Structures are given as C-alpha cells and as structure tokens.
Amino acid sequence: LLDFSRIQRGAEEMVYDTMDPVECARTSIQIVKPVADTRNDRLELESPGMEDGSYARVLVEGDKGKLGQVFNNLLSNAVKFNESGGQVTITLTLTEVEVEVAVSDTGIGIPVEAHDKIFTRFYQYDASSTRKYGGTGIGLSISQDIMRLHGSRITVSSEPGRGSTFRFSLPLSGMSRERKKDSEHLPLPIETRELI
C-alpha cells in the first residue's frame, strides 16, 4: 500500500541503471519457486542464446528493484492462479531496439471484459476468486505504474480456461532516452487517484 501511495503521489524515487533483465527474472524465479514447488508448478525461463547453451547478455536501463517487483508480481500471480502441476514461462525476445518480456501460465485465465479492469487497484474479476486465491488486488496496478515510469506498459492476452500471458518491453541500453520522451504520451493507468 505504501508503494502504491508513493507512486500515485509521484513521490516514488526511481534509480535507473544498466541492468540485465534475464538476471532479474532468474532472481524472481528463485523467490517464487518455493511456492511453485508446493503446487508442482514448473517455472521456465527462455532467453536469447539459451537454446544452444550460450547465454546472450541483454542490457537495458531501468530500476532493478522496481523491475524485480514487476517480475515478482507477475510470477506470483501466474503461480497463484495456475492449476496444480501447471507451467509458468518467462520468455525474453530480443529485437534491434528492445527486449520483449512475456510471462505466460496455464492457469484459469481471464475473461476479455476484465482485461483492462485487472490493472485497477483492488479489482479482482470474480468475488469467488478473491475468497479462493486471496491477495490485495493492487499488485498489477503497481506493476503497471512501474512500467509506465519506464516508458512501457503491461498488456494481457487471456481467456477463461486457457491461461494468461502478460507482456511488456524495455528499450535496450542506449535507447532509453528516446523511449522516455515517448512515454510522456502514453495513456495513464485506468485509476490514478491517491489513497484516501
């Protein structure tokens, strides 16, 4: 709640540095793995070069701590709303100017009419899901705000019973300034009121 309040008031301090999102993803996987193991869920990471065993280092400019929070939130949700024995995959795809990140699961899915609403604070599309799965309903809202501050936004593709995929992209190191200029024109999150 404190994180959410600071972001909404514009008081959150961002510390941008050159970082490797693959390492960030690996750290989040280790954090979420104990919970995934209790549910027999598999966590996988796919990134450039991993197919042939040669790891291609990917460098972007961002706040490592905040991006770690985004990975943690997306992975935690993917495990929480997955079926027992399911799979969660983080895929990083490299283009000439950015790295595209996708977090996919084989879980319960989200109806189309709820795709935009899930990024609104305290929203969960089904009251029964709130009782069954728990949570505060602010993780995705915080994650969306963090990505907006990085000049990006999270999108979702999903349907009930067919899992979900959350995507965002980050400019490669050296291209962040151009991206940050463009971020001023990105739509604001659905709800940007301060906590009362």
Side-chain angles (χ1 to χ4, degrees), residues 27-184:
T27 299
S28 292
I29 285 175
Q30 292 305 310
I31 291 172
V32 175
K33 192 174 187 302
V35 177
D37 286 346
T38 65
R39 300 168 52 86
N40 295 317
D41 288 341
R42 300 182 304 279
L43 300 177
E44 294 190 0
L45 174 62
E46 300 175 357
S47 68
M50 280 191 170
E51 303 82 9
D52 58 9
S54 63
Y55 167 54
R57 189 167 173 79
V58 180
L59 295 178
V60 301
E61 290 180 25
D63 186 311
K64 185 175 182 179
K66 297 295 187 300
L67 290 174
Q69 191 173 353
V70 172
F71 276 111
N72 290 347
N73 283 337
L74 294 180
L75 281 176
S76 295
N77 279 350
V79 169
K80 180 167 63 174
F81 294 103
N82 214 335
E83 304 292 346
S84 181
Q87 180 167 320
V88 177
T89 305
I90 303 178
T91 305
L92 289 88
T93 305
L94 199 59
T95 73
E96 291 184 358
V97 296
E98 65 185 8
V99 59
E100 299 171 349
V101 180
V103 179
S104 303
D105 64 65
T106 55
I108 62 173
I110 305 164
V112 174
E113 62 270 19
H115 285 189
D116 288 333
K117 297 176 183 177
I118 59 173
F119 296 103
T120 303
R121 65 175 178 173
F122 306 125
Y123 177 84
Q124 288 185 329
Y125 74 84
D126 186 351
S128 65
S129 292
T130 304
R131 289 193 296 271
K132 181 177 180 181
Y133 298 103
T136 60
I138 62 173
L140 284 177
S141 180
I142 290 174
S143 297
Q144 186 70 286
D145 280 342
I146 289 173
M147 293 316 304
R148 179 177 57 84
L149 292 172
H150 282 81
S152 185
R153 67 180 293 126
I154 302 171
T155 61
V156 60
S157 56
S158 178
E159 59 182 284
R162 294 183 175 272
S164 304
T165 299
F166 289 82
R167 294 181 175 86
F168 63 88
S169 60
L170 292 165
L172 296 177
S173 182
M175 298 186 179
S176 294
R177 292 182 183 177
E178 292 287 330
R179 184 69 166 271
K180 286 175 187 175
K181 291 177 184 176
D182 294 339
S183 71
E184 298 174 3

